[in-house]
Amino acid sequence: SEFKKKALKDPEVRKAYDELETEYAIITQVIGKRLKAGMTQKQLAQKIGTKQSAISRLESGNSNPSINFLEKVARGMGAKVSVSLS
């Protein structure tokens, strides 16, 4: 927490952090919803007709998922995708 505060004072670090904020928020929400639903990555993948590796890539930030894919993932966990611009 203290390290984060110091690091974010650096304009370059702050810019990189801000650019990744949305991605990390999505990842955190997907993992949280999946765990709350008591599902493994493999179970979620089977439910939505994809491979476990696709869920793993999404949760690790190693993919650039489409809105369509995010909606499939959300439906598989009984959730909805909500998008807003502010």
Side-chain angles (χ1 to χ4, degrees), residues 37-77:
M39 300 173 79
T40 65
Q41 289 181 345
K42 185 175 182 176
Q43 290 169 326
L44 176 57
Q46 288 174 338
K47 189 168 186 177
I48 66 170
T50 192
K51 295 182 179 181
Q52 180 271 332
S53 59
I55 303 301
S56 178
R57 283 192 303 274
L58 170 63
E59 291 185 0
S60 66
N62 291 325
S63 69
N64 189 9
S66 67
I67 296 292
N68 186 32
F69 184 71
L70 289 174
E71 287 176 332
K72 270 181 154 178
V73 169
R75 279 193 305 272
M77 298 182 294

Side-chain angles (χ1 to χ4, degrees), residues 13-27 61:
V13 172
R14 182 62 190 205
K15 182 179 182 231
Y17 180 84
D18 288 345
E19 289 173 355
L20 294 172
E21 183 178 17
T22 302
E23 182 178 344
Y24 285 132
I26 292 169
I27 291 168

